[in-house]
């Protein structure tokens, strides 16, 4: 959906004319997203934020450790994306800009998909130590452990070869002023290596022959051999690196829905040549205006318009509704749609990042890269985490040495403290759940603007709904009319009204315009168009004078007391010329098919539902009665809606607003969370914290349930991360955990947080379940007709 600000005239009934200008983006504020490679924990993300926030040309920075992205708001008059990229690179990381014609930026080197040669080499070096430790478990003592000189060689290769990325990251972190997890790993393992090397080299008389003789035993004080711990350092590095590798794969492939979205478009397409033949060409070579073919079972490669053929397409990746849609000549196609049946020839209207799929990918990427308020707690903890852990390790070493008099025991306890501490789990707790939750929401056709929006949606207890276009189909039709002057032809009054309403965007205006078109009534030229807040629209028509179209009061019309019942439940649009009433039209709109189900679902979830509309009270009461809504307010101006929501907030309620028009924008901006309905105005889209890509109101229920599940997941992750460190560090300090077990536990802590976040990807709501059933019924019906 296009995110540019609309230039259409606003809703004639409920809006000020200055709403649009107040929602436009400041020209001197640009947004940039970078893919960041090389972050090892949340402290890395914090360091990048710290560096960029010091730049006067940067307004705001959010770095997502889990998503490995940076969202930067900056002043384009003072700096460029290339300059910002260079600043990030100077901190020791690799930043990549998004290509202009791509859907999403990719790093030059995908560490999660390349073959893990470094990790394989690391485990090969670890293998002899594992054999030796297996011998210890079956009562062989140190007999199976390799000679100490071999242990030294293997440990040195690991420490200063395969562990080199740890050193680079640790050094860059220290230079940036924030110590990360790699600092703890380097300090712990290099201490083990140095201490073991010192014991080995100083054991005996120091001669080479003495060293080799002492090296035949496995160490740890057996057969006069020195008590070395080379295996501990190697295992720590191996376990930590393995944990990182699994973490990267989980983040990039299982947790991040963006890769799944990108896979929806094929690499090659069938392109029609000038002679009518079809050739396979690369998607990147396709241009707007080209003609492509999509067969049954294939994916639509770009946005386009069907020019030949027919078929059924599933667009659930964008709308969240898996019900197949019939596509015929003239219908639009969306990139990524699955052609379930038939064959389509379509003309490309947009490609790459310009498609609606590209818009979704970028919106999802921006949202995943933002931070929830809950993440601030973890950020504050990780900012001081490493220095505190180092201090605890030093105290542990000193106290243990003082109490036991054994340097090696004190050293192992201190190293265990360094290794068991895991800021990664804290850093991953919130962004991992946000990534998963955003992906699930997108699957259900809900596009949250950012993490704060999702967090706000998960805390709501009240939902305020607009009527037209939200609860109803948004396509009202004329059901009755009344003329003040019986000599006037209905078509003449309709022509006048439609001519003025052509400059409005409200569904009621559209109904009058469509009615005039059906009767082949040409629209008249109008001038001096203006909107009167909460009343209607007025303009001048040459030869007639001032025309007012809107509420009965606005058009100076008093309706008779005894009108047909339809006037009590239909919306009224009155018309006057030079303040002389001409007549009025009654327009009725049907409820959406699943609106009752959606209202029931929200109420059963404990959500209070309130209806607010600019329509007259009798119509609002009628709709509320049909849906079982107890609170309903009619004749509400945009300011009235916003004020009422503010009162609810003052009373302690967390309020969400759902609407589709310009008149809903102030209320959306006031609410804690807001939802813009499918195909709502651009002003509503900009004001809302989430966009609903399906027409069903059930998407609001799905959004609220997904947001709640995400918040629960975040709290579970944070609880686990805090408890892990609160229990792990004391146990390590007291000697209950050796460095190897500490390393394994540290790696598992991050993986556990990610696995818990992955549970969100299996989350299903009533929208998805109902769509699955409906889709299967449609398939069965179509199959029975074949």
């Amino acid at each position: 959906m296009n995110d540019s600000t609309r230039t259409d005239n606003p809703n004639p009934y409920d809006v000020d004319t200055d709403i649009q200008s107040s929602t436009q983006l400041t020209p001197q504020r640009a947004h940039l997203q970078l893919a960041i490679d090389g972050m090892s924990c949340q402290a890395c993300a914090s360091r990048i934020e710290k560096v960029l926030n010091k730049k006067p040309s940067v307004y705001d920075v959010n770095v997502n450790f889990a998503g490995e992205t940076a969202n930067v708001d900056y002043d384009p008059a003072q700096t460029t994306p290339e300059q910002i990229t260079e600043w990030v690179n100077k901190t020791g990381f690799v930043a990549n800009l998004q290509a202009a014609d791509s859907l999403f930026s990719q790093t030059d080197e995908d560490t999660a998909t390349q073959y893990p040669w470094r990790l394989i080499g690391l485990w090969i070096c670890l293998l002899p130590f594992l054999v030796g430790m297996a011998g210890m478990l079956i009562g062989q003592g140190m007999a199976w452990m390799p000679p100490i000189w071999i242990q030294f060689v293997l440990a040195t290769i690991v420490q200063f070869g395969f562990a080199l990325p740890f050193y680079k990251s640790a050094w860059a972190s220290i230079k940036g002023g924030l110590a990360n997890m790699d600092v703890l790993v380097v300090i712990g393992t290099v201490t083990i290596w140095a201490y073991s090397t010192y014991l080995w080299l100083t054991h005996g008389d120091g001669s080479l022959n003495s060293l080799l003789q002492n090296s035949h035993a496995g160490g740890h004080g057996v057969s006069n051999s020195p008590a070395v711990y080379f295996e501990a350092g190697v295992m720590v590095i191996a376990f930590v690196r393995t944990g990182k590798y699994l973490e990267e794969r989980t983040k990039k492939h299982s947790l991040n829905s963006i890769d799944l979205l990108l896979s929806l478009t094929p690499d090659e397409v069938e392109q029609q040549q000038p002679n009518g033949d079809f050739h396979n060409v690369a998607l990147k070579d396709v241009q707007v205006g080209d003609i492509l073919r999509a067969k049954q079972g294939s994916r639509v490669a770009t946005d386009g318009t069907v020019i030949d053929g027919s078929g059924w397409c599933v667009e659930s990746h964008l709308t969240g509704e898996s019900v197949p849609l019939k596509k015929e000549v003239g219908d639009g196609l969306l990139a990524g749609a699955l052609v379930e049946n038939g064959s389509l020839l379509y003309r490309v209207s947009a490609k790459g990042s310009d498609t609606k799929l590209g818009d979704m990918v970028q919106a999802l990427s921006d949202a995943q890269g933002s931070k929830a308020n809950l993440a601030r707690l973890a950020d504050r903890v990780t900012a001081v985490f490493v220095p505190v852990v180092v201090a605890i390790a030093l105290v542990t070493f000193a106290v243990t040495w003082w109490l036991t008099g054994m340097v090696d025991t004190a050293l192992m306890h201190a190293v265990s403290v360094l290794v068991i501490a895991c800021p990664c789990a804290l850093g991953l707790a919130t962004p991992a759940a946000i990534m998963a939750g955003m992906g699930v929401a997108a699957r259900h056709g809900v596009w949250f603007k950012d993490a704060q929006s999702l967090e706000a949606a998960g805390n709501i207890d009240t939902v305020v709904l607009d009527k037209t276009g939200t609860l109803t189909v948004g396509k009202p039709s004329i059901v009755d009319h009344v003329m003040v002057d019986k000599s006037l032809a209905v078509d003449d009054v309709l022509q006048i009204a439609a001519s003025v309403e052509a400059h409005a965007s409200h569904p009621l205006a559209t109904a009058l315009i469509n009615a005039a078109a059906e009767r082949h009534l040409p629209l008249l030229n109008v001038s001096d168009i203006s909107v009167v807040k909460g009343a209607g629209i007025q303009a001048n028509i040459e030869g007639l004078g001032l025309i007012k179209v809107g509420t009965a009061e606005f058009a100076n019309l008093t309706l008779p007391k005894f009108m047909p019942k339809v006037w009590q439940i239909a919306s009224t649009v009155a018309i006057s010329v030079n303040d002389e009433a001409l007549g009025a039209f009654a327009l009725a709109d049907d409820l959406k098919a699943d609106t009752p189900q959606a209202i029931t679902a929200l109420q059963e979830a404990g959500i209070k539902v309130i209806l607010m509309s600019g329509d007259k009270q009798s119509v609002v009461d009628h709709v509320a009665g049909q849906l079982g809504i107890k609170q309903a307010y009619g004749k509400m101006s945009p300011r009235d809606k916003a004020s009422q929501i503010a009162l609810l907030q003052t009373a302690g309620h967390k309020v969400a607003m759902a609407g589709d028009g310009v008149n809903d924008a102030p209320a959306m901006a006031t609410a804690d969370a807001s939802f813009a309905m499918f195909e709502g105005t651009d002003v509503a889209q900009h004001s809302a914290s989430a966009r609903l890509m399906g027409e069903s109101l059930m998407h609001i229920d799905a959004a609220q349930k997904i947001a709640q599940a995400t918040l629960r997941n975040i709290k579970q992750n944070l609880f686990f991360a805090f408890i892990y460190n609160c229990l792990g560090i004391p146990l390590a300090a007291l000697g209950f955990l050796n460095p190897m077990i500490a390393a394994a536990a540290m790696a598992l802590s991050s993986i556990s947080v990610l696995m818990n976040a992955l549970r969100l990807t299996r989350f299903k709501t009533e929208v998805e379940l109902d769509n699955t059933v409906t889709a299967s019924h449609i398939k069965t019906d179509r199959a029975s007709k074949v």
Side-chain angles (χ1 to χ4, degrees):
M1 183 170 291
N2 183 12
D3 284 332
S4 60
T5 305
R6 285 178 66 97
T7 56
D8 297 340
N9 283 325
N11 181 349
Y13 304 115
D14 294 324
V15 67
D16 289 320
T17 56
D18 62 352
I19 288 178
Q20 289 178 344
S21 60
S22 66
T23 59
Q24 292 177 351
L25 297 177
T26 305
Q28 294 302 313
R29 191 181 184 98
H31 179 75
L32 170 69
Q33 184 176 79
L34 300 172
I36 309 294
D37 189 32
M39 292 190 294
S40 61
C41 73
Q42 181 59 38
C44 299
S46 299
R47 186 167 82 254
I48 297 173
E49 290 181 350
K50 180 180 178 182
V51 170
L52 293 183
N53 278 323
K54 288 182 178 179
K55 307 297 181 182
S57 57
V58 175
Y59 297 125
D60 186 47
V61 182
N62 272 321
V63 180
N64 187 321
F65 167 51
E68 298 185 350
T69 58
N71 286 300
V72 185
D73 288 337
Y74 66 98
D75 183 354
Q78 297 187 51
T79 189
T80 64
E82 291 74 18
Q83 179 65 62
I84 296 173
T85 302
E86 184 178 343
W87 289 335
V88 175
N89 291 340
K90 285 182 178 179
T91 63
F93 303 99
V94 178
N96 292 274
L97 288 168
Q98 178 179 350
D101 59 348
S102 67
L103 286 179
F104 185 67
S105 56
Q106 300 293 329
T107 57
D108 293 333
E109 182 181 13
D110 190 347
T111 55
T113 56
Q114 66 178 166
Y115 208 65
W117 291 111
R118 186 183 296 273
L119 183 61
I120 292 173
L122 208 166
W123 276 87
I124 290 175
C125 291
L126 178 61
L127 187 59
F129 293 106
L130 293 177
V131 172
M133 297 183 71
M136 296 171 60
L137 293 175
I138 62 175
Q140 296 297 317
M142 304 300 295
W144 289 6
M145 190 67 75
I148 296 181
W149 73 269
I150 293 180
Q151 295 183 43
F152 168 76
V153 171
L154 293 175
T156 302
I157 292 173
V158 169
Q159 192 70 47
F160 302 106
F162 295 122
L164 191 59
F166 289 96
Y167 286 87
K168 291 181 178 179
S169 175
W171 177 242
S173 174
I174 292 171
K175 285 198 304 181
L178 289 171
N180 63 9
M181 182 199 74
D182 291 338
V183 172
L184 299 179
V185 174
V186 168
I187 292 175
T189 57
V190 80
T191 301
I192 293 174
W193 178 88
Y195 178 71
S196 299
T197 302
Y198 170 78
L199 290 180
W200 174 51
L201 293 178
T202 58
H203 193 78
D205 59 12
S207 65
L208 179 60
N209 184 54
S210 175
L211 291 175
L212 293 177
Q213 285 181 350
N214 290 327
S215 297
H216 288 300
H220 296 276
V222 179
S223 302
N224 298 320
S225 63
V228 297
Y229 298 90
F230 287 117
E231 77 281 0
V234 174
M235 290 191 71
V236 167
I237 293 172
F239 286 158
V240 173
R241 187 67 196 92
T242 301
K244 283 191 174 187
Y245 176 75
L246 295 175
E247 179 186 311
E248 289 168 358
R249 287 195 62 85
T250 303
K251 288 190 299 183
K252 289 181 178 289
H253 296 293
S254 302
L255 200 61
N256 198 342
S257 299
I258 289 177
D259 284 343
L260 297 177
L261 291 173
L262 294 177
S263 66
L264 294 178
T265 54
D267 294 328
E268 287 190 346
V269 294
E270 289 188 74
Q271 182 187 55
Q272 188 178 49
Q273 305 301 309
N275 61 4
D277 295 338
F278 287 89
H279 292 165
N280 287 339
V281 299
L283 178 58
K284 61 183 180 64
D285 296 329
V286 172
Q287 302 298 323
V288 173
D290 288 351
I291 298 175
L292 307 179
R293 181 167 64 186
K295 299 178 181 177
Q296 180 177 348
S298 65
R299 294 274 182 182
V300 177
T302 68
D303 286 0
T305 304
V306 179
I307 60 173
D308 191 22
S310 64
W312 293 79
C313 292
V314 177
E315 299 174 346
S316 58
H317 64 298
L318 289 176
T319 65
E321 298 175 356
S322 57
V323 178
L325 302 175
K326 183 68 177 295
K327 298 292 183 179
E328 298 176 320
V329 175
D331 291 337
L333 292 178
L334 300 178
L338 175 65
V339 182
E340 196 175 72
N341 195 5
S343 179
L344 301 167
L345 207 61
Y346 64 98
R347 189 181 305 278
V348 177
S349 60
K351 55 173 290 191
S353 58
D354 294 329
T355 63
K356 188 165 285 189
L357 174 63
D359 184 29
M360 179 181 185
V361 168
Q362 190 58 54
L364 179 58
S365 179
D366 288 343
Q368 288 182 343
S370 61
K371 285 186 179 180
N373 292 326
L374 282 172
R376 311 298 175 183
L377 173 62
D379 285 351
R380 289 194 294 270
V381 172
T382 53
V384 298
F385 189 86
V386 172
V388 170
V389 170
V390 172
I392 293 174
L394 290 174
V395 172
T396 299
F397 176 79
V399 172
T400 305
W401 190 8
W402 178 63
L403 292 175
T404 65
M406 301 173 65
V407 177
D408 57 345
T409 300
L411 182 64
M412 289 301 104
H413 288 192
V415 170
S416 296
V417 170
L418 292 174
V419 175
I420 193 69
C422 183
C424 281
L426 282 172
L428 284 169
T430 300
I434 290 294
M435 286 177 66
M438 290 288 186
V440 175
R443 192 179 76 212
H444 285 78
V446 181
W447 297 7
F448 282 104
K449 183 176 294 184
D450 49 36
Q452 292 91 336
S453 301
L454 183 144
E455 189 174 14
N459 290 320
I460 62 172
D461 56 33
T462 304
V463 171
V464 174
L465 301 173
D466 179 41
K467 179 180 71 70
T468 306
T470 303
L471 297 176
T472 64
V473 177
K475 296 180 179 179
S477 58
I478 298 175
V479 293
D480 199 4
H481 64 268
V482 61
M483 296 294 112
V484 175
D485 186 347
K486 302 298 182 182
S487 64
L488 288 175
V490 174
D491 284 359
D492 291 337
V493 177
L494 177 61
Q495 182 183 30
I496 294 171
S499 298
V500 176
E501 292 281 47
H503 299 273
S505 59
H506 194 278
L508 298 181
T510 304
L512 294 177
I513 297 167
N514 291 340
E518 290 173 1
R519 303 184 189 188
H520 305 290
L521 303 175
L523 299 182
L524 306 174
N525 293 325
V526 301
S527 61
D528 301 326
I529 304 163
S530 63
V531 174
V532 178
K533 172 187 167 183
I537 184 172
Q538 64 184 26
N540 282 307
I541 296 181
E542 187 176 355
L544 292 177
L546 178 64
I547 310 298
K548 292 184 178 180
V549 183
T551 64
E553 294 84 356
F554 180 60
N556 200 28
L557 173 65
T558 302
L559 291 171
K561 291 184 178 180
F562 301 102
M563 296 287 288
K565 185 176 180 180
V566 68
W567 285 84
Q568 302 302 315
I569 60 174
S571 301
T572 301
V573 178
I575 304 96
S576 68
V577 174
N578 297 323
D579 288 328
E580 293 290 333
L582 297 182
F585 294 96
L587 295 96
D589 193 6
D590 295 328
L591 291 174
K592 293 178 181 177
D594 61 355
T595 293
Q597 178 190 0
I599 299 300
T600 300
L602 287 169
Q603 292 173 337
E604 289 179 348
I607 305 296
K608 183 179 182 180
V609 181
I610 300 175
L611 175 58
M612 294 186 190
S613 174
D615 215 333
K616 60 186 180 183
Q617 190 65 48
S618 60
V619 176
V620 176
D621 288 340
H622 175 72
V623 172
Q626 285 182 295
L627 298 173
I629 299 175
K630 296 181 180 179
Q631 281 186 261
Y633 302 92
K635 301 188 71 174
M636 298 283 284
S637 69
R639 190 180 299 277
D640 292 337
K641 292 181 182 180
S643 299
Q644 188 64 36
I645 289 175
L647 287 175
L648 290 168
Q649 292 170 325
T650 303
H653 293 286
K654 298 295 183 181
V655 186
M657 170 70 191
D660 71 328
V662 179
N663 59 322
D664 299 317
M668 287 181 171
T670 304
D672 298 283
S674 52
F675 303 98
M677 302 303 295
F678 182 64
E679 292 186 348
T681 61
D682 285 350
V683 172
Q685 300 285 356
H686 281 299
S687 301
S689 58
R691 288 186 280 174
L692 307 181
M693 301 312 297
E695 296 181 356
S696 170
L697 204 64
M698 285 297 295
H699 288 290
I700 296 178
D701 178 64
Q704 187 265 339
K705 286 182 169 61
I706 292 168
Q708 280 192 335
T710 303
L711 289 183
R712 285 196 302 270
N713 197 279
I714 290 174
K715 293 173 182 177
Q716 292 165 359
N717 285 346
L718 287 173
F719 175 80
F720 173 79
F722 278 118
I723 290 298
Y724 163 82
N725 283 289
C726 289
L727 295 178
I729 292 176
L731 289 175
L734 294 173
F736 292 107
L737 299 174
N738 63 43
M740 291 84 79
I741 296 176
M746 188 271 289
L748 287 174
S749 66
S750 296
I751 299 301
S752 298
V753 167
L754 290 174
M755 291 300 105
N756 188 49
L758 275 176
R759 294 191 305 111
L760 280 173
T761 62
R762 299 192 296 271
F763 188 87
K764 289 184 180 292
T765 67
E766 292 182 46
V767 173
E768 197 165 8
L769 296 174
D770 290 347
N771 285 338
T772 302
V773 173
T774 305
S776 64
H777 286 170
I778 290 177
K779 291 179 182 178
T780 303
D781 292 342
R782 287 210 309 268
S784 63
K785 295 177 182 178
V786 175

